[in-house]
Amino acid sequence: MAKKDMQGKQPENEKTKALQPHTADATGEMMTTDHGLKINDDQNSLKAGERGATLLEDFILREKITHFDHERIPERVVHARGSGAHGVFELYKSMGSVTKAEFLNDTTVQTPVFVRFSTVAGSKGSTDLARDVRGFAVKFYTTAGNFDLVGNNMPVFFIQDAMKFPDLVHAVKPEPDHEMPQAASAHDTFWDFISLMPESTHMIMWLMSDRAIPRSLRMMEGFGVHTFRFINEKGVSNFVKFHWKPLLGVHSVAWDEAQNISGKDPDFHRRDLWEAIESGAFPEWELGVQIVPEADEFKFDFDLLDPTKLIPEELVPVQRIGKMTLNRNPDNFFAETEQVAFHVGNIVPGIDFSNDPLLQGRLFSYTDTQLIRLGGPNFHEIPINRPLVAVRNNQRDGFMRQTINRGKTSYGPNSLGNDDPAQVKAADGGFTSYQERIDAKKVRARSQSFFDHFSQARLFVNSQSDPEKNHLIDALSFELGKVKTVAIRQRMVGILSLVDKGLATKVAFALGLEVPEQVEQPINHSIPADGNPADYQPVQVEGKLEKSAALSMADTIKDNIKSRKIAILAANGVDAASLNTVKSAIISAGGVVHVISPVLGAVIAADKSTIAVDESFLTAASVLYDAVYVPGGKSSVATLKGEANAVHFLNEAFKHCKAIAADDQAIGVLESTYFSKDLPEDFSDDQVLKQGLVLGADAAKLASQFIMAISRHRFWEREKPRQVPA
Ligand code: HDE
C-alpha cells in the first residue's frame, strides 16, 4: 500500500505543483476585503446607531453578501453529482507501434491526471447509491496537451445517435410536472422512452445489473465506450477501445443495501474515495486497450461505430498498457471537482476519432455546455483545466480572461509580430486529423449494420452468474413495478422476451403480466416522418459467442480485504483478547475496523482494559460495512443479545450476504438472529468459503478464516430461498 510522503501530505505531481500558486491558505493571515483592505469588524454591519437601520454605505457588508449571492454556478445538466481526485498515470510498455501519443510512448514519464467520477441522472446533492451509470472521466495532463478520456463504468450506451441524447436525458430526469423522482430511472417517462427505443436494450441490461450499484468508485471498471483511433508515426490508423481495470476487482452492493445506504450515508462513495486516499490506500486501475487493425473493420457481426455494442474480450483481448494511481485528494471541491471541464474532443497527436455518430455529437456538446456552466470562453484558464504545456494562440478577451497577452498582434498571418505564434509541422508534434477517405451522400440516416439490438443484450444475460441473473430480474421487476402505466410495463416485457424468454417470464410474473405470444409491431418508434416502419425492424444476428466471461463480475479479483470496512460489535465486559486478535489481523491485512457499541466513548473489557468505541448503533449501520464480528465476553454478549440494534445489525448483514464471524462465546447473540437456524454444523475452510459464516474459540484461526471470507465479498447463495426479512 502506498504511503503519504514524509510531511504527511499526499504526493505531489507536476499538475498539483502547478496548482500551488493558485491556492490560498488563511493560517496566520489577516482578514481583508476583496480589494485588500484590512477588516476590523467582521461581526457587525454599519448602522445609524446601535439599534438603527443598516447604511447603504457599508461596502464591506455589500461585498460579502454580493459574493455570497453569486456563489453558485449551474450544475451539470447530466453528471451533476461527482467526486474527484488527483493522480498519476504510468506506462508499462511503449505503444509506439500503434500510436505516436507521447504519453503512451515513454515508460519513464509519469503523466499527472485528474479524475471525476459521477452519477448521471441525479442533482448535485443526490445520493451516491442511485441505480445509475457512473461517469469515469480522466484528464491526462500530457506533454502534448490535455487528453480527456471521458468514459463511463459501462462499455455501451443507450442510444446510437447524438440526436436522441436530449430525449434520453429528458426521459430519465425527474418528470417535468412535479420534479420527481430524484436520481432514479424507476418512473414512467424513462421506461416509456426505453420501451419505444429497442437500441437501448443492451445498455438496459447493464443498467439493471449490479454494475449500476458499485460497492465503491474504486471497485468499478471504466470504458471509453466509443471506438477511437490510434495513429502512429507513419500515419497508420488502428481502431481502439479504452478500458480501465480496477486492481481491487469489480464489486457491487445489494439493491436493498443501496437503498438503505442512500438514507444512512448519501455520501457513501464520495466518503469512501476520500478516506481511502487520505489513509494511503490509493486506488489503482490498469489502462487496457483493444486494438483492431483498419483492415478488420468489417470482420465483426456488429458495427464498430455502433456505441450500443462492445467488442467481446474473447474476440479482441484487452492489453494492459499502464496504471493509474489516485493519490491526492483535491484541496477545494468547488475549484477542482466542480470547475473541472472535460471534453471528449481534447485529444493529442496519436489519438483520433471514429465516425461513431454518438461520439461525433459529443464533440460539439462539451465546449458548448462549459460556456454556460463556467460563464464564458476562458474556462480553459481555470487552474484545474490548464494544460501543463504553454497555451499560445490568437484567441483573446471574453469574460474573466486571466492571461495578459502582450504585443499588438492577435491575428495571423501577421508581419508585425513575426507571424507568431507559429504553426507547428506534423513532424514536430503539430496535430493533423487522420485523412479518412470519405465518398458518401449527405443523408440523415442510420446504417443497417446498427439494427441488431438484441444479440449483445442476450450475450450479456447469458454471461451472468445465477445470482447476477436474479438481481437483473429483481431490478427490472422493481423498476417496471414503479411504472404506473401498465401499457409501458407490457411493452417492456415484450422487448425483454426478444432478449431472453426466461428472463421476460420472471419479470412478467413479478408484474402480474403475461409474456405476449406476438410482440407489438413496430417495436422501434424512432423512425423519421417519411420512414417505413418495416425498414426499421431490428435484425436478429445470431452472435457467434455464447458467453463472455468479462461481462460477469462473478470471477473478479477476490483475494484481498484491502480497505474493506469491518464492524466489531462490543459492549462492557467484552473479551479483549478475542476483540484485539481479530482486529489486528484485519488491520494487518489492510482492512479498516470500527468498534461499535450501544454508546460512544469506550467499553471496559472483562480484563479491565479500555477499548475505544468508533461508532454507536445510532451513528453506524450494517450497510456501511463489509463484514461484522462479535467477540466473546459474558456481559458484552448478554448486552448485545438484548440490544435490538445489534441483532438488527447482524440480520441485515446476513440479508446482504456479508461475512459474519463470532467467538464461540458469542453464540448467544447469533441465536437471537433469524438466521440462527442457518448456522452450519462445521466451520471448515470449505464451509466458510461457501457460507461466509465463521464461529470458533481460537481467535487467530477464526481471524484468518474471517479474512478469507471477507475477501470473497458476498455470499449470494444465501439469497436462494429468497424469503429473507429486512
Ligand atoms: Fe456526456 N456530457 N454526453 N457522455 N459525459 C456531459 O458535459 C453528452 C456520453 C460523460 O465529470 C456534459 O461538462 C452528449 C457518453 C461524462 O465533468 C454534456 C452525449 C459518455 C460526463 C454531455 C453524451 C459520456 C459527461 C454535461 C451524446 C460515456 C461528466 C456536463 C451524444 C462515454 C464529465 C459536461 C465530468 C458530461 C453531453 C454521451 C460521459 C452536456 C451530447 C456516451 C463522464 O456536455
Side-chain angles (χ1 to χ4, degrees):
M1 192 181 290
K3 288 273 173 261
K4 294 180 192 181
D5 71 12
M6 312 263 280
Q7 286 81 42
K9 283 205 228 113
Q10 294 159 358
E12 298 285 356
N13 63 49
E14 288 310 309
K15 181 62 189 176
T16 52
K17 275 190 220 146
L19 289 174
Q20 270 161 21
H22 304 281
T23 60
D25 185 348
T27 319
E29 297 288 339
M30 285 178 287
M31 183 183 276
T32 71
T33 62
D34 280 346
H35 69 280
L37 178 83
K38 289 182 190 129
I39 294 179
N40 168 260
D41 182 348
D42 183 49
Q43 318 304 324
N44 298 294
S45 49
L46 189 67
K47 301 181 198 74
E50 279 162 15
R51 301 180 59 253
T54 302
L55 299 178
L56 188 59
E57 180 198 319
D58 191 351
F59 61 94
I60 298 180
L61 172 74
R62 275 190 284 119
E63 178 190 276
K64 189 171 178 180
I65 300 272
T66 305
H67 198 280
F68 168 76
D69 290 344
H70 294 259
E71 271 174 13
R72 292 290 169 271
I73 61 173
E75 66 173 33
R76 289 164 172 81
V77 57
V78 280
H79 297 268
R81 167 107 188 142
S83 305
H86 290 277
V88 289
F89 172 74
E90 291 153 306
L91 188 67
Y92 291 157
K93 56 173 183 178
S94 170
M95 297 304 289
S97 62
V98 284
T99 175
K100 60 182 174 184
E102 285 174 12
F103 79 110
L104 297 179
N105 273 244
D106 188 346
T107 52
T108 62
V109 172
Q110 264 202 352
T111 304
V113 296
F114 185 76
V115 177
R116 185 174 179 274
F117 301 108
S118 47
T119 52
V120 177
S123 296
K124 196 168 168 278
S126 59
T127 173
D128 280 342
L129 264 289
R131 173 176 295 284
D132 201 351
V133 187
R134 298 297 183 288
F136 193 133
V138 183
K139 193 180 276 295
F140 295 80
Y141 302 92
T142 89
T143 46
N146 290 352
F147 167 55
D148 291 356
L149 185 51
V150 197
N152 281 341
N153 76 328
M154 297 177 191
V156 290
F157 202 65
F158 297 92
I159 47 169
Q160 295 175 323
D161 193 302
M163 192 67 131
K164 299 314 296 168
F165 190 66
D167 299 280
L168 166 74
V169 175
H170 290 170
V172 72
K173 283 273 183 181
E175 297 185 5
D177 45 355
H178 48 46
E179 187 70 3
M180 290 191 280
Q182 177 56 243
S185 51
H187 60 112
D188 285 49
T189 54
F190 177 69
W191 287 100
D192 185 27
F193 177 78
I194 295 298
S195 67
L196 301 170
M197 295 279 295
E199 70 198 57
S200 304
T201 312
H202 184 198
M203 180 63 165
I204 286 298
M205 297 299 125
W206 285 84
L207 186 68
M208 294 298 112
S209 80
D210 293 345
R211 302 270 181 156
I213 38 174
R215 156 66 182 84
S216 162
L217 300 170
R218 305 174 291 125
M219 299 174 196
M220 57 185 206
E221 289 183 296
F223 303 90
V225 178
H226 314 281
T227 300
F228 288 82
R229 287 175 184 276
F230 266 163
I231 315 289
N232 70 11
E233 280 297 345
K234 296 193 184 108
V236 174
S237 158
N238 280 274
F239 292 109
V240 59
K241 290 264 195 196
F242 292 106
H243 296 245
W244 290 110
K245 301 276 190 188
L247 293 189
L248 290 176
V250 194
H251 301 283
S252 292
V253 298
W255 175 232
D256 179 69
E257 190 183 359
Q259 289 177 294
N260 277 302
I261 296 173
S262 292
K264 297 282 183 186
D265 185 7
D267 303 310
F268 185 73
H269 282 154
R270 182 178 286 177
R271 191 183 314 284
D272 166 274
L273 180 68
W274 180 274
E275 286 180 352
I277 294 175
E278 285 299 299
S279 74
F282 299 148
E284 297 168 316
W285 285 262
E286 284 179 324
L287 178 65
V289 290
Q290 285 176 298
I291 293 173
V292 178
E294 261 210 341
D296 290 347
E297 180 173 0
F298 300 108
K299 108 172 183 195
F300 303 96
D301 49 22
F302 53 87
D303 197 322
L304 282 183
L305 302 186
D306 173 358
T308 66
K309 304 297 184 301
L310 50 85
I311 310 180
E313 294 189 21
E314 285 73 9
L315 302 187
V316 181
V318 174
Q319 303 177 42
R320 297 180 181 226
I321 65 169
K323 189 173 76 174
M324 173 170 79
T325 308
L326 298 185
N327 55 20
R328 194 179 213 288
N329 278 317
D331 285 314
N332 184 283
F333 182 89
F334 180 83
E336 299 175 79
T337 310
E338 193 61 10
Q339 291 204 114
V340 68
F342 291 95
H343 181 14
V344 72
N346 284 353
I347 53 169
V348 290
I351 299 177
D352 213 324
F353 314 116
S354 73
N355 288 336
D356 173 341
L358 196 68
L359 171 59
Q360 295 281 321
R362 291 178 74 198
L363 292 176
F364 163 74
S365 180
Y366 289 72
T367 308
D368 186 41
T369 205
Q370 316 302 357
L371 283 171
I372 181 142
R373 192 171 70 82
L374 298 168
N378 290 315
F379 58 84
H380 60 284
E381 294 188 317
I382 295 173
I384 191 68
N385 295 325
R386 288 179 183 212
L388 285 170
V389 291
V391 173
R392 299 278 182 270
N393 56 42
N394 290 322
Q395 269 111 251
R396 289 291 186 275
D397 309 347
F399 283 112
M400 303 298 161
R401 183 68 172 180
Q402 310 289 303
T403 309
I404 303 170
N405 296 100
R406 294 208 187 109
K408 281 187 191 307
T409 56
S410 51
Y411 56 89
N414 70 62
S415 66
L416 297 179
N418 198 28
D419 216 9
D420 288 334
Q423 300 172 107
V424 185
K425 288 192 170 146
D428 296 329
F431 176 78
T432 56
S433 286
Y434 177 66
Q435 296 190 5
E436 183 181 357
R437 193 177 178 82
I438 295 176
D439 176 14
K441 283 192 198 147
K442 186 159 72 180
V443 288
R444 284 189 191 278
R446 211 169 291 189
S447 167
Q448 274 285 331
S449 56
F450 279 39
F451 280 24
D452 170 19
H453 304 317
F454 301 120
S455 306
Q456 287 208 350
R458 192 173 308 123
L459 175 68
F460 182 82
V461 176
N462 288 345
S463 306
Q464 303 301 292
S465 63
D466 283 347
E468 286 172 311
K469 269 188 201 156
N470 288 335
H471 294 168
L472 197 58
I473 293 161
D474 287 350
L476 283 160
S477 308
F478 172 89
E479 295 262 325
L480 293 171
K482 292 279 182 185
V483 169
K484 297 280 177 279
T485 311
V486 177
I488 297 175
R489 294 182 186 162
Q490 186 66 66
R491 211 157 48 220
M492 267 320 296
V493 169
I495 300 255
L496 294 176
S497 73
L498 301 173
V499 178
D500 186 288
K501 274 257 154 53
L503 174 94
T505 309
K506 287 182 177 145
V507 174
F509 177 75
L511 298 174
L513 297 173
E514 299 281 329
V515 177
E517 288 289 322
Q518 279 284 311
V519 175
E520 177 201 324
Q521 295 294 334
I523 56 170
N524 186 352
H525 291 248
S526 180
I527 300 170
D530 284 329
N532 173 5
D535 296 338
Y536 286 83
Q537 284 317 300
V539 293
Q540 291 278 6
V541 176
E542 272 319 311
K544 293 182 193 84
L545 205 63
E546 282 282 300
K547 281 183 175 191
S548 172
L551 305 184
S552 165
M553 306 188 328
D555 293 322
T556 187
I557 297 165
K558 291 181 184 168
D559 61 0
N560 68 79
I561 66 160
K562 277 188 210 153
S563 76
R564 293 296 187 149
K565 282 179 82 177
I566 290 90
I568 298 188
L569 310 189
N572 285 336
V574 69
D575 174 350
S578 161
L579 188 151
N580 288 328
T581 309
V582 174
K583 181 173 173 178
S584 357
I586 292 172
I587 292 172
S588 327
V592 177
V593 173
H594 282 177
V595 173
I596 301 171
S597 180
V599 289
L600 291 172
V603 292
I604 310 295
D607 66 3
K608 304 286 176 246
S609 60
T610 314
I611 295 169
V613 171
D614 300 290
E615 302 281 352
S616 75
F617 288 118
L618 212 54
T619 61
S622 86
V623 291
L624 308 178
Y625 294 88
D626 291 293
V628 49
Y629 173 57
V630 192
K634 225 171 171 186
S635 48
S636 171
V637 169
T639 307
L640 295 177
K641 203 174 147 178
E643 167 70 62
N645 285 323
V647 177
H648 178 67
F649 201 108
L650 287 160
N651 280 340
E652 212 175 32
F654 184 83
K655 178 182 184 184
H656 298 142
C657 307
K658 295 173 181 175
I660 297 175
D663 188 287
D664 259 356
Q665 291 178 16
I667 184 75
V669 188
L670 295 196
E671 277 165 358
S672 306
T673 65
Y674 76 87
F675 61 89
S676 55
K677 59 182 181 348
D678 294 322
L679 289 177
E681 294 287 301
D682 78 282
F683 291 93
S684 61
D685 283 4
D686 279 356
Q687 197 56 250
V688 165
L689 280 176
K690 229 162 121 195
Q691 310 215 10
L693 300 170
V694 193
L695 198 71
D698 173 354
K701 178 172 172 224
L702 180 141
S704 88
Q705 286 189 316
F706 188 36
I707 287 169
M708 185 174 77
I710 302 166
S711 68
R712 305 301 298 166
H713 183 60
R714 293 300 165 87
F715 298 86
W716 300 119
E717 287 297 300
R718 271 188 220 155
E719 292 177 322
K720 264 230 172 103
R722 300 175 81 68
Q723 28 175 250
V724 190

